[in-house]
Amino acid sequence: MQDNATEVTAAGIARLAGVGRAAVSNWRRRHADFPRPVGGTETSPSFALPEVEGWLRRHGKLAEVPLKERVWQQLAGHPAGPVTALTHAGCVLLLIHDRSPVWLEVSSGSDERLAAMLPGALEQVLTPRLGKAEGTRVNSAGAVNTSAKMPAVLTAPGALTASAALEPPTAPQLLPSAALLRGVAELAAESGARHTFEFLLGRHLDANPRQYTLTPADLSGLMAGLAGPARTVLDPACGTGALLRSVTPRPGQELYAQDSAPELAALTALRLALHTRAPVHAAAGDTLRADAHPAVRADAVLCHPPFNERNWGHDELAYDPRWEYGFPARTESELAWVQHALARLRDGGVAVLLMPPAAASRRSGRRIRADLLRRGALRAVIALPVGAAPPYNIPLHLWVLRRPEQAPAQPEVLLADAGQFAGEGRGGPDWAGVRETVLDAWGAFDRAGRLDERPGLARSVPVIELLDDDVDLAPARHLPPAAATDGAGRLSDVRERLGETLRLTARLTPPPVDPARPAAPGRLPLTTVGELARGGALVMRTGGNGGHARVPVLTDHDVLSGAAPSGTLPESDEEAVLTEPGDVVVPVLGGGSVARVIDEATAGAALGRNLVLLRPDPAALDAWFLAGFLRGTANNRQASSYASTATRLDVRRLQLPRLPPDEQRRYGARFRALDEFERALRQAGRLGEQLVRGMYDGLTDGTIAPDGTVAPDGTIAIDGTVAPD
């Protein structure tokens, strides 16, 4: 075995064989010839991938490793780490994309020949497509020197530099990647170079969620839509390049990117070069301290800056010329990014930044906010729904800025709140609603310079109204709630629907149980879901892949709450699991006993993460009978793992009795009735909460009088009857 052979963990072996990790542990215990660990730790060992593949084939566990899985395992187990492997793969994919005959020539011989010839071939494609970024030097006074190209190292006390994002790897660096690069080329022949890189990058990001702060694709598209068509676009904190990738291509376009993490700058450069024919100027370095693009005057700047940074250069950059609107406080790093974006715009150019909500109201930033308003630079503050981007529990803001060509005579600023489009589950907001509402309001405001009030959604506010002691720009504090012209009418409707639901709930209440009449004599013979799956009585599938079709996603929260599909999944090359009527869906996390039978309204949704789908054969198994017995508390306890803080359900161990079809249907009818009763209870609870909240709001805002009539005319009572004049 080669010293640099790709290693794979137990989780990787489980993925290769399509089994759970428990099965891999059993194989290690029961088979003396199972490969020995070659690395890792005692609790998390790693194994040589070729040895694992051979063992799986000998024992009939694996006919052939799928090409995608083999390439991914080679990348994940690369001796130099997955980021280096991904960078090497991206370089070769760009070579294949731009000059495939050159790749065929250099890859025709041995691995040593490939490694020796590849650097020269990559130089031919990387330099024309990505160029070489000029370095910048920032001295202790904040002056910027761009006269020389310099490596990204400290060259003197207090000096920082930016460097080109990507240099061609050398032959010794490429030799350990030879097998991976040949597999990548094979995968590119099937899926294309661009899709292959997106697949590998997506896998890497999914495998390391805590290392990267991502900008979701829907949010990236919204920010690019707000910026509008642009020829020159800059992202000074590019991350993985999601924002620049969302920009609509146009002739003569140029893209500029920079990130403080060299690996992210390199991956962004490769990602954009594969995505577009536009020149890509990417650099690695601290943007605020060592701007790689000081001469750029962009049509648009898109930026998702790091939040709440204290070490952003406050002490070194006190006299930086970018602070046109005031020197940011140490706690106001986001306002430094705002002013950097404005400094890199041409006159009339647009910047869109994702901001924490505190930046709109912190007292330490009020003077800068005031000057941005007075001079017409800040054009809009848009509150996003909860769940739009990490951190997902905070409703972030978008700031839209324009470098003013001249100060407006009577400036107004657009304040919008898309919070009502927050999703009920973990799937995220209603992005179609957010996009339509926000872009429509911004377009109307941008054309006219003002916007008539859209209650609860948007309004343009004269700047003079905001220039108080706080200069608080939080949209929710300046937008009235949705129009309450028919508030009492809506409450009357809610009350009527609540009454109907309570009457339905009473009718659906299960009849009393006769304790003298047992369900069945003796103990019923039992089987498990795993045995039923092996016997063909049902098919078992797991969710989590988005596929290419944009369909609603059923999340575990949707199943637990009985809600409609509300989630989204990132697009992937792996096919999504779509639900069908009669499927039974079970959440595997949380320790609860829940199972949901898919109806016509839910059918067609993609199966989300942490869900298992059971598709029973109707001739052998009744769906409601199956779902009902899966919900038993004792059944769930014996099938759950309590080895960690997050209880996980092993669906294969869930039990149900062996009963003939007629008896199954009898149980199934009763379980279905219980499900209808449960849904009626949920609906009654939601309507009751809505009625209570509406009453509190109406009484406190003066639209409902204490005697139950509508204020001020008193024509409609809350119970829906006509009140006397």
Side-chain angles (χ1 to χ4, degrees):
M1 184 188 70
Q2 295 181 359
D3 292 339
N4 61 0
T6 299
E7 297 178 12
V8 61
T9 63
I13 297 173
R15 187 190 291 271
L16 283 171
V19 298
R21 291 188 61 177
V24 178
S25 298
N26 289 336
W27 294 342
R28 292 186 62 196
R29 288 196 303 269
R30 296 176 182 176
H31 297 275
D33 62 337
F34 192 88
R36 300 299 180 191
V38 296
T41 64
E42 184 176 347
T43 56
S44 181
S46 59
F47 307 83
L49 179 60
E51 294 182 5
V52 169
E53 290 183 21
W55 187 90
L56 291 173
R57 288 195 184 93
R58 288 196 305 274
H59 288 263
K61 310 293 186 184
L62 180 69
E64 183 63 42
V65 180
L67 178 59
K68 280 186 176 181
E69 195 59 43
R70 175 159 53 88
V71 171
W72 165 248
Q73 293 296 346
Q74 289 174 331
L75 187 147
H78 193 280
V83 173
T84 298
L86 187 56
T87 304
H88 292 177
C91 290
V92 165
L93 288 169
L94 185 58
L95 177 63
I96 293 170
H97 184 267
D98 285 7
R99 302 186 182 187
S100 56
V102 177
W103 164 254
L104 294 175
E105 166 62 23
V106 301
S107 63
S108 59
S110 65
D111 288 353
E112 289 74 13
R113 179 178 182 273
L114 170 65
M117 296 186 65
L118 197 51
L122 293 178
E123 179 75 35
Q124 297 175 29
V125 69
L126 291 177
T127 300
R129 292 300 307 278
L130 304 180
K132 289 184 178 294
E134 286 190 350
T136 63
R137 186 191 301 265
V138 181
N139 61 28
S140 59
V144 179
N145 174 11
T146 62
S147 60
K149 296 177 182 178
M150 300 175 291
V153 294
L154 283 171
T155 57
L160 286 172
T161 67
S163 71
L166 190 63
E167 294 289 341
T170 63
Q173 292 170 335
L174 287 168
L175 184 58
S177 302
L180 166 67
L181 299 181
R182 295 185 190 278
V184 165
E186 188 179 350
L187 188 56
E190 291 184 1
S191 307
R194 181 185 305 168
H195 285 99
T196 298
F197 187 75
E198 289 294 328
F199 162 72
L200 295 174
L201 176 62
R203 270 284 188 94
H204 174 66
L205 297 177
D206 287 344
N208 302 276
R210 296 185 180 181
Q211 293 184 22
Y212 306 101
T213 300
L214 304 180
T215 309
D218 289 304
L219 176 58
S220 300
L222 174 62
M223 294 174 68
L226 287 167
R231 181 179 175 275
T232 304
V233 189
L234 165 68
D235 184 349
C238 63
T240 58
L243 288 172
L244 291 176
R245 189 172 178 268
S246 298
V247 173
T248 302
R250 60 176 301 179
Q253 192 171 69
E254 291 188 79
L255 304 178
Y256 292 83
Q258 183 170 351
D259 199 274
S260 59
E263 68 276 10
L264 289 181
L267 294 177
T268 291
L270 292 167
R271 189 182 194 188
L272 294 175
L274 285 165
H275 178 71
T276 178
R277 298 302 304 180
V280 177
H281 310 279
D286 185 324
T287 295
L288 294 181
R289 290 185 172 96
D291 183 14
H293 310 294
V296 168
R297 293 299 177 263
D299 299 312
V301 174
L302 301 174
C303 186
H304 177 175
F307 296 162
N308 302 319
E309 278 201 335
R310 297 298 181 97
N311 184 26
W312 59 267
H314 177 269
D315 295 337
E316 306 101 298
L317 303 175
Y319 301 102
D320 196 289
R322 289 172 291 183
W323 315 143
E324 290 184 57
Y325 302 88
F327 180 40
R330 189 183 302 276
T331 56
E332 294 288 352
S333 62
E334 297 86 7
L335 294 182
W337 286 98
V338 164
Q339 296 190 76
H340 173 82
L342 284 168
R344 295 296 165 262
L345 286 173
R346 64 164 177 81
D347 288 347
V350 177
V352 184
L353 285 85
L354 184 66
M355 302 284 281
S361 55
R362 280 191 298 241
R363 288 188 59 81
S364 54
R366 66 189 185 278
R367 291 187 177 89
I368 294 177
R369 292 195 300 271
D371 207 31
L372 289 169
L373 290 172
R374 287 191 195 97
R375 297 169 61 180
L378 181 57
R379 306 300 296 136
V381 177
I382 300 163
L384 295 170
V386 172
Y392 289 107
N393 61 330
I394 297 175
L396 301 176
H397 288 178
L398 290 178
W399 284 25
V400 184
L401 304 108
R402 175 172 279 124
R403 185 168 182 82
E405 298 176 86
Q406 60 182 15
Q410 293 180 325
E412 296 194 8
V413 64
L414 174 67
L415 300 180
D417 189 347
Q420 68 182 50
F421 297 102
E424 293 184 3
R426 300 177 189 171
D430 171 12
W431 279 111
V434 173
R435 185 177 178 85
E436 180 181 359
T437 299
V438 170
L439 292 183
D440 182 61
W442 167 249
F445 172 78
D446 194 36
R447 288 189 297 270
R450 62 178 308 278
L451 181 73
D452 292 334
E453 182 178 316
R454 300 181 181 184
L457 290 175
R459 66 181 286 230
S460 62
V461 181
V463 165
I464 193 65
E465 294 184 13
L466 301 171
L467 296 177
D468 54 16
D469 289 342
D470 295 322
V471 197
D472 191 334
L473 306 182
R477 295 192 173 98
H478 302 280
L479 292 176
T485 54
D486 192 29
R490 286 198 301 273
L491 288 181
S492 297
D493 179 63
V494 170
R495 189 179 187 280
E496 183 176 346
R497 289 165 57 202
L498 176 60
E500 293 175 356
T501 304
L502 290 174
R503 289 189 289 272
L504 174 63
T505 305
R507 290 197 302 271
L508 293 175
T509 302
V513 177
D514 184 357
R517 183 181 177 186
R523 184 176 180 83
L524 296 173
L526 299 175
T527 185
T528 65
V529 169
E531 290 174 353
L532 291 170
R534 288 191 293 272
L538 59 82
V539 174
M540 188 172 175
R541 303 287 301 277
T542 57
N545 296 316
H548 291 292
R550 302 300 293 174
V551 298
V553 175
L554 186 69
T555 68
D556 52 348
H557 188 275
D558 297 333
V559 175
L560 293 169
S561 63
S566 66
T568 58
L569 285 171
E571 184 176 334
S572 69
D573 291 332
E574 299 184 40
E575 186 178 355
V577 177
L578 302 182
T579 57
E580 297 179 3
D583 290 344
V584 178
V585 177
V586 184
V588 297
L589 292 181
S593 54
V594 177
R596 178 170 175 175
V597 179
I598 300 299
D599 55 16
E600 294 288 347
T602 311
L607 195 68
R609 296 185 179 93
N610 302 319
L611 291 175
V612 171
L613 179 145
L614 305 176
R615 184 164 292 161
D617 179 358
L621 201 57
D622 181 82
W624 285 101
F625 165 78
L626 171 64
F629 272 97
L630 296 188
R631 291 193 59 173
T633 301
N635 199 5
N636 273 260
R637 286 180 63 84
Q638 67 85 29
S640 295
S641 167
Y642 293 90
S644 67
T645 56
T647 303
R648 188 173 184 90
L649 181 69
D650 184 353
V651 177
R652 292 177 179 271
R653 294 173 56 189
L654 288 169
Q655 299 176 336
L656 61 158
R658 299 180 182 270
L659 293 176
D662 289 343
E663 192 68 7
Q664 287 185 33
R665 286 190 286 272
R666 192 166 72 90
Y667 271 98
R670 189 62 180 270
F671 286 136
R672 186 167 192 165
L674 281 174
D675 181 77
E676 292 177 1
F677 175 65
E678 183 180 34
R679 282 189 281 118
L681 284 176
R682 282 200 185 112
Q683 177 69 359
R686 285 193 289 265
L687 291 171
E689 290 177 2
Q690 189 176 345
L691 180 61
V692 170
R693 173 48 51 197
M695 288 292 297
Y696 271 112
D697 290 345
L699 288 167
T700 55
D701 65 19
T703 57
I704 297 175
D707 59 1
T709 58
V710 182
D713 57 10
T715 56
I716 301 178
I718 291 304
D719 63 2
T721 61
V722 178
D725 292 335

